[in-house]
Amino acid sequence: MITSIQELQEAALNSKKDFKTPSDIHPKERRVVLENVGVIDPQSIEDYIASGGYMSLFRALDEMSPKEVIEEVKISALRGRGGGGYPTGLKWESVSKVISEQKYIICNGDEGDPGAFMDRAVMEGDPHRVLEGMAIAGYACGANKGYIYVRAEYPIAVEKLSRAIKQATKFGILGENIAHSGFNFSVEIRLGAGAFVCGEATALIASIEGNRGHPRQKPPHLSDYGLWGKPTVLNNVETLANIAPIIKNGGAWFRAIGTESSSGTKVFALTGHIKNTGLVEVEMGTTLRELIFDIGGGVEDGRKFKAIQSGGPSGGCIPEHLLDLQVDYESLKSAGSIMGSGGLIVIDEGSNMVEIARFFMDFCRSESCGKCTPCRVGTTELTMLLDKFIAKKATKSDFELLKEMCKMVKSTSLCGLGQTAPNPVLSTIRYFEDEYLAGICDD
Ligand SMILES: Cc1cc2nc3c(=O)[nH]c(=O)nc-3n(C[C@H](O)[C@H](O)[C@H](O)COP(=O)(O)O)c2cc1C
């Protein structure tokens, strides 16, 4: 059992190891979230403690009030890494202010975007970091129970997290009266069946409660009415993995990394027609060119770059002339795309952008939960319309209908899935309209 900062420090010294930083980190990378991944043994709580792990939690419990913890997170200007970019400090503050005998912290490890595996890398490679972030969130918001929602297709993440929970509980770092502070916090895992929509906050909660993973309208917001109707903080894995370094180094340290509107780093999954696929963590504000050409090695087989799709199925395609865009929440939005969870798919000159848009639309069609008509019927109709362009059998009025229907599905769908499903179509119309016009057969 570890019951004080001194004991934690002693344990760290006793198991002191010479951790080796991986030699293949590109000079333009900056690791905060992934700093332990591939460095420590994720199955060993001793390794985590030796690397300074759980010190932020113990410091928070020993030296800071819940309000001070929230203040530090607010100073950091950390924004949620799950897609929306909502300020984490504000989210925590809303829940902390609600008076309730029971509150919950949920870690969203659903990660349904095709090609994305940032959260998986953290859950598998540094599970204690996630638990530490959740426990700090629990202390700050007055919650004593946490759930990690992981898709069942991530069995290694489930195994590593389960082991980490057992170890932390055995060490007294989770459980009752942590570090004699009077604070109790326990964590359980809930498995998802792999539906994309179950990553959406309200659908995820319905799924944990044992109901169908259907989203519901907001308000009420989760801060008032979350899991089992209780105030709930729901954060993405990467968001929570940033918490321990923020408490350790201070919010101002984090705020100094990145851009004015988006602090810190972001982990991206580079995929598609690129030489070096895989995860990279860079400061916010790194340009697309640096990401694709310097770190990613450029387009594979010497082919020409055409576009990059960011933000998963809800994102958009960014063309070559915007390669010097500094990646952050605002710049991607102004380019017609989004940060999303951090998927970056490189598209080469041989690809047809209408087919790319159809791929993502079809994904949303098959993943639509069917609860609301605009999303259920709209994504089906849009997929069929795109087929006409691909078969070069579309008419001018089909093009007008396509644009009109995109607007309708965006503005009338119940949840983020339908509200963002037309984004790949709209962004490819914006930058590659000629490829749609080539599919029109009447003049
Ligand atoms: C269709 C859909 C799927 C989503 N999938 C995920 C997901 O897999 N992981 C995630 O963290 N957030 C996902 N989100 C965003 C969540 O609803 C929520 O905003 C996020 O988990 C909040 O955490 P954050 O503030 O730390 O970003 C999804 C949203 C939508 C609309």
Side-chain angles (χ1 to χ4, degrees):
M1 290 289 271
I2 297 181
T3 57
S4 67
I5 288 199
Q6 290 72 26
E7 285 175 20
L8 192 69
Q9 277 165 340
E10 266 168 43
L13 283 174
N14 289 343
S15 50
K16 195 87 199 148
K17 289 194 185 156
D18 191 15
F19 295 119
K20 288 204 172 45
T21 314
S23 54
D24 56 351
I25 296 181
H26 193 278
K28 291 199 170 167
E29 279 191 71
R30 169 130 191 210
R31 294 199 176 179
V32 174
V33 171
L34 297 179
E35 64 185 343
N36 288 336
V37 175
V39 177
I40 65 167
D41 175 1
Q43 318 233 49
S44 158
I45 191 169
E46 289 86 356
D47 262 27
Y48 186 67
I49 291 171
S51 72
Y54 288 120
M55 193 53 82
S56 297
L57 171 65
F58 275 52
R59 263 201 51 217
L61 295 177
D62 201 46
E63 299 164 13
M64 299 166 86
S65 68
K67 219 173 165 184
E68 284 168 334
V69 173
I70 291 176
E71 206 44 46
E72 214 52 51
V73 177
K74 276 170 78 180
I75 292 170
S76 78
L78 171 67
R79 297 173 66 171
R81 303 301 197 230
Y86 189 79
T88 307
L90 290 184
K91 188 182 268 192
W92 289 16
E93 189 170 53
S94 327
V95 172
S96 75
K97 282 183 176 163
V98 184
I99 296 166
S100 171
E101 80 294 348
Q102 182 68 63
K103 300 180 189 178
Y104 296 105
I105 305 295
I106 299 178
C107 169
N108 188 345
D110 191 56
E111 194 160 60
D113 289 10
F117 55 105
M118 297 78 54
D119 296 347
R120 176 182 173 183
V122 177
M123 291 186 286
E124 290 183 1
D126 198 8
H128 286 284
R129 177 72 85 86
V130 181
L131 298 182
E132 187 171 8
M134 291 178 75
I136 295 171
Y139 173 66
C141 302
N144 60 21
K145 181 84 199 171
Y147 288 96
I148 310 178
Y149 188 83
V150 196
R151 53 180 48 228
E153 288 135 318
Y154 280 179
I156 300 172
V158 174
E159 185 198 318
K160 299 276 165 65
L161 285 165
S162 308
R163 190 188 296 252
I165 293 170
K166 267 194 203 131
Q167 289 176 338
T169 310
K170 194 172 152 207
F171 275 60
I173 293 172
L174 290 179
E176 304 279 301
N177 196 16
I178 302 167
H180 293 312
S181 62
F183 170 61
N184 309 326
F185 194 72
S186 61
V187 177
E188 283 183 44
I189 296 176
R190 287 289 179 273
L191 299 189
F196 178 59
V197 76
C198 282
E200 193 278 338
T202 60
L204 185 153
I205 284 179
S207 175
I208 293 184
E209 289 172 347
N211 299 315
R212 275 186 85 159
H214 277 177
R216 66 156 172 84
Q217 205 146 16
K218 285 189 281 187
H221 293 287
L222 303 193
S223 51
D224 295 314
Y225 193 89
L227 184 63
W228 317 114
K230 302 293 177 196
T232 300
V233 164
L234 183 132
N235 274 135
N236 167 260
V237 170
E238 192 180 330
T239 313
L240 289 164
N242 273 303
I243 298 300
I246 288 173
I247 299 302
K248 178 181 166 203
N249 302 309
W253 163 82
F254 192 83
R255 183 75 190 81
I257 307 171
T259 66
E260 183 57 31
S261 68
S262 312
S263 57
T265 61
K266 179 77 194 85
V267 185
F268 291 101
L270 281 179
T271 54
H273 302 131
I274 188 161
K275 269 188 200 149
N276 310 323
T277 55
L279 296 184
V280 288
E281 182 174 0
V282 290
E283 281 198 32
M284 293 277 193
T286 302
T287 66
L288 285 173
R289 194 183 295 282
E290 288 171 304
L291 271 162
I292 301 163
F293 290 92
D294 297 344
I295 303 174
V299 183
E300 62 180 358
D301 300 330
R303 294 169 78 104
K304 205 170 160 311
F305 173 86
K306 185 168 184 179
I308 185 152
Q309 214 277 349
S310 83
S314 323
C317 294
I318 301 168
E320 192 184 8
H321 73 269
L322 292 178
L323 271 176
D324 291 312
L325 192 82
Q326 289 192 304
V327 177
D328 69 15
Y329 289 98
E330 272 63 39
S331 64
L332 286 173
K333 201 169 165 206
S334 67
S337 189
I338 56 163
M339 177 83 75
S341 58
L344 284 178
I345 303 170
V346 173
I347 298 164
D348 75 10
E349 57 184 339
S351 310
N352 178 294
M353 299 311 282
V354 185
E355 285 177 22
I356 299 277
R358 190 211 181 269
F359 171 82
F360 287 110
M361 185 55 70
D362 192 45
F363 177 84
C364 290
R365 180 199 59 73
S366 67
E367 292 292 335
S368 171
C369 75
K371 181 173 176 178
C372 76
T373 312
C375 178
R376 183 182 68 246
V377 180
T379 52
T380 306
E381 290 291 326
L382 282 168
T383 309
M384 289 185 335
L385 264 177
L386 290 168
D387 280 338
K388 285 177 89 176
F389 285 86
I390 291 165
K392 301 204 181 300
K393 287 185 178 158
T395 61
K396 276 183 187 160
S397 57
D398 284 332
F399 196 36
E400 293 314 309
L401 182 63
L402 182 73
K403 292 189 267 188
E404 184 71 15
M405 207 182 289
C406 279
K407 269 193 221 150
M408 185 277 291
V409 172
K410 261 179 95 73
S411 59
T412 57
S413 289
L414 172 64
C415 87
L417 197 157
Q419 285 159 11
T420 57
N423 285 354
V425 180
L426 291 170
S427 71
T428 46
I429 291 177
R430 176 168 168 187
Y431 296 118
F432 302 95
E433 192 181 17
D434 52 329
E435 296 188 28
Y436 284 86
L437 298 180
I440 295 176
C441 59
D442 62 350
D443 0 82

